Coordinates of all heavy atoms in Angstrom, one line a residue:
V93 N 14.0 9.0 24.5 CA 14.4 9.7 23.2 C 15.9 9.5 23.1 O 16.7 9.8 24.0 CB 14.0 11.2 23.3 CG1 14.6 12.0 22.1 CG2 12.5 11.4 23.3
I95 N 19.4 10.6 21.9 CA 20.2 11.7 21.5 C 21.6 11.2 21.0 O 22.3 10.5 21.7 CB 20.5 12.7 22.7 CG1 19.2 13.0 23.4 CG2 21.2 14.0 22.1 CD1 18.1 13.8 22.6
L100 N 23.5 19.5 17.2 CA 22.1 19.7 17.4 C 21.4 19.6 16.0 O 20.4 19.0 15.9 CB 21.9 21.1 18.0 CG 20.5 21.6 18.3 CD1 19.8 20.6 19.2 CD2 20.5 23.0 19.0
L104 N 18.4 16.8 14.9 CA 17.1 17.2 14.4 C 16.9 16.7 13.0 O 15.8 16.2 12.6 CB 16.9 18.7 14.4 CG 16.8 19.3 15.8 CD1 17.0 20.9 15.7 CD2 15.4 19.0 16.4
L116 N 14.7 24.3 11.4 CA 15.2 23.7 12.6 C 15.1 24.6 13.8 O 14.6 24.2 14.9 CB 16.6 23.2 12.5 CG 16.9 22.2 11.3 CD1 18.4 21.8 11.3 CD2 16.0 21.0 11.4
K117 N 15.5 25.9 13.6 CA 15.4 26.8 14.7 C 14.0 27.1 15.1 O 13.7 27.3 16.3 CB 16.1 28.1 14.3 CG 17.6 28.0 14.2 CD 18.2 29.3 13.7 CE 19.7 29.2 13.5 NZ 20.3 30.3 12.7
S118 N 13.1 27.1 14.1 CA 11.7 27.4 14.4 C 11.1 26.3 15.3 O 10.4 26.6 16.3 CB 11.0 27.6 13.1 OG 9.6 27.3 13.3
V119 N 11.4 25.0 15.0 CA 10.8 24.0 15.9 C 11.4 24.0 17.3 O 10.7 23.7 18.2 CB 10.8 22.6 15.2 CG1 10.0 22.5 14.0 CG2 12.2 22.1 15.0
L120 N 12.7 24.3 17.3 CA 13.3 24.4 18.7 C 12.7 25.5 19.5 O 12.4 25.3 20.7 CB 14.8 24.7 18.5 CG 15.7 23.6 18.1 CD1 17.1 24.1 17.9 CD2 15.7 22.4 19.1
Q121 N 12.4 26.6 18.8 CA 11.7 27.7 19.5 C 10.3 27.2 20.0 O 9.9 27.5 21.1 CB 11.7 28.9 18.6 CG 11.4 30.2 19.3 CD 10.0 30.7 18.8 OE1 9.6 30.5 17.7 NE2 9.3 31.4 19.7
Q122 N 9.6 26.5 19.1 CA 8.2 26.1 19.4 C 8.2 25.1 20.6 O 7.2 25.2 21.4 CB 7.6 25.4 18.2 CG 7.3 26.3 17.1 CD 6.7 25.6 15.9 OE1 5.6 25.0 16.0 NE2 7.4 25.6 14.8
V123 N 9.2 24.3 20.8 CA 9.2 23.4 22.0 C 9.9 24.0 23.2 O 10.1 23.4 24.2 CB 9.8 22.0 21.6 CG1 9.0 21.3 20.5 CG2 11.2 22.1 21.2
G124 N 10.3 25.3 23.0 CA 11.0 25.9 24.2 C 12.4 25.5 24.4 O 12.9 25.6 25.5
L125 N 13.1 25.1 23.3 CA 14.5 24.7 23.4 C 15.4 25.7 22.8 O 16.6 25.3 22.5 CB 14.7 23.3 22.8 CG 14.3 22.1 23.6 CD1 14.6 20.8 22.8 CD2 15.0 22.0 25.0
D126 N 15.0 26.9 22.5 CA 15.9 27.9 21.8 C 17.1 28.2 22.6 O 18.1 28.6 22.1 CB 15.1 29.1 21.4 CG 14.0 29.5 22.3 OD1 13.4 28.6 23.0 OD2 13.6 30.7 22.3
K127 N 17.0 27.9 24.0 CA 18.2 28.1 24.8 C 19.4 27.3 24.3 O 20.5 27.7 24.5 CB 17.8 27.6 26.2 CG 18.4 28.4 27.3 CD 18.0 27.9 28.7 CE 18.7 26.6 29.0 NZ 18.2 25.9 30.2
L128 N 19.1 26.1 23.7 CA 20.2 25.3 23.2 C 21.0 26.0 22.1 O 22.1 25.6 21.7 CB 19.7 23.9 22.7 CG 19.0 23.0 23.7 CD1 18.6 21.7 23.0 CD2 20.0 22.7 24.8
L129 N 20.4 27.0 21.5 CA 21.0 27.7 20.3 C 22.0 28.7 20.8 O 22.8 29.2 20.0 CB 20.0 28.3 19.5 CG 19.1 27.3 18.7 CD1 17.9 28.1 18.1 CD2 19.9 26.7 17.6
E130 N 22.0 29.1 22.1 CA 22.9 30.0 22.6 C 24.4 29.5 22.4 O 24.6 28.3 22.4 CB 22.7 30.3 24.1 CG 21.5 31.1 24.4 CD 21.1 31.1 25.9 OE1 21.9 30.7 26.7 OE2 20.0 31.6 26.2
G133 N 24.9 27.8 18.4 CA 23.8 27.6 17.5 C 23.6 26.1 17.2 O 23.7 25.3 18.0
L134 N 23.2 25.8 15.9 CA 23.0 24.4 15.5 C 24.2 23.6 15.5 O 24.1 22.3 15.3 CB 22.3 24.4 14.2 CG 20.8 25.0 14.2 CD1 20.3 25.3 12.8 CD2 19.9 23.9 14.8
M138 N 25.9 17.6 21.0 CA 25.0 17.0 22.0 C 25.6 15.6 22.4 O 26.3 15.0 21.6 CB 23.6 16.8 21.4 CG 22.9 18.0 20.9 SD 22.3 19.0 22.3 CE 23.1 20.6 21.9
R143 N 26.9 18.6 25.2 CA 25.9 19.0 26.2 C 25.1 17.8 26.5 O 24.5 17.1 25.7 CB 25.1 20.1 25.6 CG 24.1 20.6 26.6 CD 23.5 21.9 26.1 NE 22.5 22.4 27.1 CZ 22.3 23.6 27.3 NH1 22.8 24.5 26.5 NH2 21.4 24.0 28.2
L145 N 21.6 16.6 27.9 CA 20.3 17.1 28.1 C 19.5 16.5 29.3 O 19.7 15.3 29.5 CB 19.5 16.9 26.8 CG 20.1 17.5 25.5 CD1 19.2 17.2 24.3 CD2 20.3 19.0 25.7
S146 N 18.8 17.3 29.9 CA 17.9 16.8 31.0 C 16.8 15.9 30.4 O 16.6 16.0 29.2 CB 17.3 17.9 31.8 OG 16.2 18.5 31.0
G147 N 16.1 15.1 31.2 CA 15.1 14.3 30.7 C 14.0 15.1 29.9 O 13.6 14.7 28.9
G148 N 13.6 16.2 30.5 CA 12.6 17.1 29.9 C 13.1 17.7 28.6 O 12.3 17.8 27.6
E149 N 14.4 18.0 28.5 CA 14.9 18.5 27.3 C 15.0 17.5 26.2 O 14.7 17.7 25.0 CB 16.3 19.1 27.5 CG 16.3 20.4 28.3 CD 17.7 20.9 28.8 OE1 18.6 20.0 28.9 OE2 17.8 22.1 29.1
Q150 N 15.3 16.2 26.6 CA 15.4 15.1 25.6 C 14.0 14.9 25.0 O 13.8 14.7 23.8 CB 15.8 13.9 26.3 CG 17.3 13.9 26.7 CD 17.7 12.7 27.5 OE1 17.1 11.6 27.4 NE2 18.7 12.8 28.3
R151 N 13.0 14.9 25.9 CA 11.6 14.8 25.5 C 11.2 15.8 24.4 O 10.6 15.6 23.4 CB 10.6 14.9 26.6 CG 10.7 13.8 27.6 CD 9.7 12.7 27.3 NE 10.2 11.4 27.6 CZ 10.3 11.0 28.9 NH1 9.9 11.7 29.9 NH2 10.9 9.8 29.1
R152 N 11.6 17.1 24.8 CA 11.2 18.2 23.9 C 12.0 18.1 22.6 O 11.4 18.5 21.5 CB 11.4 19.5 24.6 CG 10.3 19.8 25.5 CD 10.4 21.1 26.2 NE 11.4 21.1 27.3 CZ 12.0 22.1 27.8 NH1 11.7 23.3 27.4 NH2 12.9 22.0 28.8
L153 N 13.2 17.6 22.6 CA 13.9 17.4 21.3 C 13.2 16.3 20.5 O 13.1 16.4 19.3 CB 15.4 17.0 21.6 CG 16.3 17.0 20.4 CD1 16.6 18.4 19.9 CD2 17.6 16.3 20.7
G154 N 12.7 15.3 21.2 CA 11.9 14.3 20.5 C 10.7 14.9 19.9 O 10.3 14.5 18.7
I155 N 10.0 15.8 20.5 CA 8.8 16.5 20.0 C 9.2 17.4 18.8 O 8.5 17.4 17.8 CB 8.1 17.2 21.1 CG1 7.5 16.2 22.1 CG2 6.9 18.1 20.5 CD1 7.1 16.8 23.4
A156 N 10.4 18.0 18.9 CA 10.8 18.9 17.8 C 11.1 18.0 16.6 O 10.7 18.4 15.5 CB 12.2 19.6 18.2
R157 N 11.6 16.8 16.8 CA 11.8 15.9 15.6 C 10.4 15.5 15.0 O 10.3 15.5 13.8 CB 12.5 14.6 16.1 CG 13.9 14.7 16.3 CD 14.5 13.4 16.8 NE 15.9 13.4 17.1 CZ 16.5 12.6 18.0 NH1 15.8 11.7 18.7 NH2 17.8 12.7 18.2
L175 N 8.1 17.1 32.6 CA 7.9 18.5 32.3 C 7.0 19.1 33.4 O 6.1 18.4 33.9 CB 7.3 18.8 30.9 CG 8.1 18.2 29.7 CD1 7.4 18.6 28.5 CD2 9.5 18.8 29.7
T179 N 4.5 23.8 31.2 CA 5.2 23.4 30.0 C 4.4 22.2 29.3 O 4.2 22.2 28.1 CB 6.6 22.9 30.2 OG1 7.3 24.0 31.0 CG2 7.4 22.8 29.0
I183 N 3.0 22.1 25.6 CA 3.3 21.1 24.6 C 2.1 20.4 24.0 O 1.9 20.2 22.8 CB 4.3 20.1 25.2 CG1 5.6 20.7 25.6 CG2 4.5 18.9 24.3 CD1 6.5 21.1 24.4
L186 N 0.5 22.7 21.6 CA 1.3 22.7 20.3 C 1.0 21.4 19.5 O 0.8 21.5 18.3 CB 2.8 22.7 20.7 CG 3.8 22.7 19.6 CD1 3.8 24.0 18.9 CD2 5.2 22.5 20.3

Side-chain angles (χ1 to χ4, degrees):
V93 173
I95 310 295
L100 182 53
L104 288 166
L116 302 183
K117 287 178 187 165
S118 153
V119 295
L120 284 175
Q121 196 247 328
Q122 289 178 64
V123 299
L125 282 181
D126 30 337
K127 218 180 71 189
L128 296 182
L129 291 166
E130 284 170 12
L134 289 164
M138 301 286 126
R143 185 167 179 150
L145 301 180
S146 74
E149 288 169 338
Q150 292 176 25
R151 291 270 146 72
R152 281 181 284 161
L153 192 70
I155 294 163
R157 283 178 181 154
L175 302 180
T179 311
I183 294 287
L186 180 70

